[in-house]
């Protein structure tokens, strides 16, 4: 069974720290990227050129993320500090909260057992606070 369901536009997160597998909906952009990459992979596979570390039973998302970070000229010390996939998760949580997503929804997506844990990951920006005040109180 694949953890990426392009038809249902979902990703299954297996064996997380809280031991509760969950299914998360893909954004439209993620779905477009993964669908396009799947088509490229199929063409590469048919041509006999395939990186089994990215797709297949030996897939490891950390390797391509690290490669992209290097290509983006992020220095080694910073790359080591960021812990690639986890940093993307932190950024995603912060972006959702700053965009106004309810903490309970972000908690569900992140798979946190408590909203307090979600709050620890969310870096609320002052601009978001001002925007929220303006939206509610004018």
């Amino acid at each position: 069974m694949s953890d990426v369901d392009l038809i249902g536009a979902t990703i299954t997160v297996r064996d997380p720290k809280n031991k509760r597998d969950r299914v998360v909906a893909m954004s439209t952009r993620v779905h477009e990227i993964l669908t396009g990459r799947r088509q490229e992979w199929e063409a590469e596979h048919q041509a006999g050129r395939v990186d089994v570390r990215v797709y297949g039973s030996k897939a490891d998302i950390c390797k391509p993320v690290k490669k992209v970070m290097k290509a983006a000229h992020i220095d080694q010390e910073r790359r080591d500090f960021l812990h690639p996939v986890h940093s993307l998760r932190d950024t995603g949580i912060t972006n959702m909260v700053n965009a106004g997503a309810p903490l309970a929804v972000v908690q569900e997506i992140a798979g946190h057992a408590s909203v307090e844990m979600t709050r620890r990951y969310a870096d609320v920006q002052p601009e978001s606070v001002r925007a929220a005040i303006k939206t509610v109180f004018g």
Side-chain angles (χ1 to χ4, degrees):
M1 177 180 183
S2 176
D3 292 341
V4 176
D5 177 0
L6 293 175
I7 295 170
T10 61
I11 298 173
T12 301
V13 179
R14 297 189 191 283
D15 198 28
K17 286 193 290 188
N18 69 7
K19 307 295 184 208
R20 295 182 324 192
D21 292 357
R22 67 185 180 284
V23 177
V24 179
M26 290 181 207
S27 70
T28 302
R29 183 68 182 129
V30 167
H31 188 263
E32 289 170 357
I33 290 168
L34 292 178
T35 299
R37 184 60 195 120
R38 177 64 188 201
Q39 291 168 347
E40 291 170 9
W41 177 79
E42 287 172 353
E44 291 168 358
H45 186 69
Q46 288 176 353
R49 299 180 323 264
V50 66
D51 184 351
V52 295
R53 295 168 297 160
V54 178
Y55 292 93
S57 61
K58 296 180 181 178
D60 180 358
I61 190 67
C62 290
K63 289 178 183 178
V65 170
K66 287 177 182 178
K67 185 176 179 181
V68 168
M69 290 174 76
K70 186 174 181 178
H73 305 291
I74 298 172
D75 66 70
Q76 184 63 49
E77 184 177 336
R78 182 75 176 148
R79 290 195 313 256
D80 292 342
F81 172 77
L82 288 175
H83 305 288
V85 175
H86 202 73
S87 293
L88 295 174
R89 185 172 188 258
D90 293 357
T91 301
I93 290 168
T94 294
N95 288 345
M96 285 186 280
V97 169
N98 283 317
L103 278 177
V105 172
V106 177
Q107 173 192 354
E108 181 69 24
I109 293 168
H112 291 148
S114 69
V115 74
E116 289 80 16
M117 181 59 72
T118 305
R119 291 180 64 116
R120 286 176 56 189
Y121 280 84
D123 182 19
V124 179
Q125 300 298 309
E127 303 82 39
S128 298
V129 174
R130 282 194 277 291
I133 291 170
K134 186 175 182 178
T135 298
V136 175
F137 300 108

